[in-house]
Amino acid sequence: MDDVEGKGPEADSPVSERIRNRLRQARKRFNANDNIAGFIEPGELELLLEEVATKMRGVLQSLVIDIDNDHNTQDTARRVAKMYLNEVFHGRYRPAPPVTEFPNVTSLNELMIVGPMTVRSACSHHFCPIMGRVWVGLMPNQNSNLIGLSKYARLAEWILSRPQIQEEAIAQIAELLMEKVKPDGLAVVMEADHFCMHWRGVKDTGAKMTNSVMRGSFLKDPALRREFLSLISMQN
């Protein structure tokens, strides 16, 4: 006999396990910086928040913090769960923001630069904050799609609102923008402070990391690349 709808063998399993099983059955990766929104069913995000809060309470107890009597930490587990799922890591659990694309009717083919855009993330090694700026350079062609300036920031924020390492984050931004805009060339530069260096380890508060990804004409044309890098350096 078939299981009654909603009463199958998975009904009593943790919601994280049900989501994980769907991902495995679909042979989809679910690394820290992957988006898994397509495998979360309606109502499950709220259940996941409760599950994370319960497990976070266990972490606090293992740190020997009296969460029953300490007024400062009685609700910390739920606050942390809400912060992770709804804010800091929401780019894992929410679909991409809607982006309206416009045809390049005037055949724009000159260098465009968007930035600096302020971005925030957390390193996937220690969950410490990453705070930085991103610049995007584009060389559109007549077949490119044009998107509003604010949408660059929204797409970058969606990618960075996941546990990340900077090198992979800007590669993901580049892939997403190449797909959305279809330009002749694309450049992405990110400069960021990493609190896994500032707050722990070597405790070097002055170090920053800067890296870039070049695609298409930015990769092939040294003069275009120099122009882009020169123009963003003027903003520092």
Side-chain angles (χ1 to χ4, degrees):
M1 180 182 296
D2 293 337
D3 293 314
V4 177
E5 185 176 356
K7 302 294 184 181
E10 284 195 344
D12 296 326
S13 61
V15 66
S16 63
E17 185 176 328
R18 301 202 295 270
I19 297 168
R20 207 162 29 243
N21 284 341
R22 286 180 209 128
L23 287 156
R24 285 174 174 151
Q25 288 169 7
R27 297 185 178 181
K28 294 292 185 181
R29 200 180 76 167
F30 51 101
N31 286 0
N33 61 359
D34 289 327
N35 178 272
I36 60 171
F39 296 87
I40 299 174
E41 295 182 354
E44 288 187 334
L45 200 57
E46 292 78 10
L47 295 174
L48 191 59
L49 193 152
E50 294 300 331
E51 181 182 333
V52 172
T54 297
K55 292 183 176 179
M56 190 65 206
R57 280 192 285 273
V59 170
L60 295 172
Q61 289 167 334
S62 294
L63 290 169
V64 199
I65 296 174
D66 186 357
I67 59 174
D68 295 319
N69 298 298
D70 176 9
H71 63 282
N72 288 317
T73 56
Q74 283 176 350
D75 295 320
T76 293
R78 182 169 178 80
R79 284 193 293 265
V80 170
K82 288 175 67 177
M83 178 186 72
Y84 281 159
L85 270 68
N86 296 337
E87 297 177 272
V88 181
F89 298 151
H90 78 86
R92 295 199 78 232
Y93 307 105
R94 309 282 182 181
V99 174
T100 302
E101 300 163 4
F102 304 95
N104 186 6
V105 293
T106 56
S107 300
L108 296 172
N109 63 351
E110 300 291 340
L111 172 60
M112 296 169 48
I113 298 176
V114 183
M117 298 175 283
T118 300
V119 293
R120 301 162 187 85
S121 190
C123 79
S124 51
H125 297 155
H126 297 96
F127 279 18
C128 288
I130 298 171
M131 311 288 286
R133 301 184 297 170
V134 168
W135 291 262
V136 172
L138 285 159
M139 278 295 290
N141 60 45
Q142 62 183 5
N143 298 314
S144 295
N145 299 316
L146 303 180
I147 64 176
L149 289 179
S150 66
K151 301 305 186 287
Y152 291 96
R154 291 186 185 279
L155 292 171
E157 192 261 350
W158 181 65
I159 292 289
L160 284 157
S161 293
R162 309 170 192 178
Q164 284 283 10
I165 66 169
Q166 186 171 329
E167 304 94 311
E168 292 180 356
I170 70 164
Q172 288 184 325
I173 293 171
E175 289 167 11
L176 182 60
L177 290 175
M178 287 295 290
E179 175 188 336
K180 294 286 184 185
V181 183
K182 299 177 175 60
D184 269 350
L186 176 77
V188 183
V189 171
M190 181 171 173
E191 174 193 80
D193 292 290
H194 289 249
F195 282 72
C196 55
M197 282 188 67
H198 295 352
W199 198 17
R200 58 163 297 283
V202 296
K203 296 186 175 69
D204 185 338
T205 59
K208 294 180 183 289
M209 179 177 180
T210 303
N211 62 329
S212 66
V213 169
M214 305 287 169
R215 298 282 189 267
S217 55
F218 284 91
L219 193 60
K220 299 172 185 175
D221 185 346
L224 176 62
R225 189 163 60 248
R226 282 195 300 270
E227 181 183 1
F228 167 70
L229 294 173
S230 174
L231 287 170
I232 70 170
S233 70
M234 293 170 62
Q235 300 176 4
N236 288 326

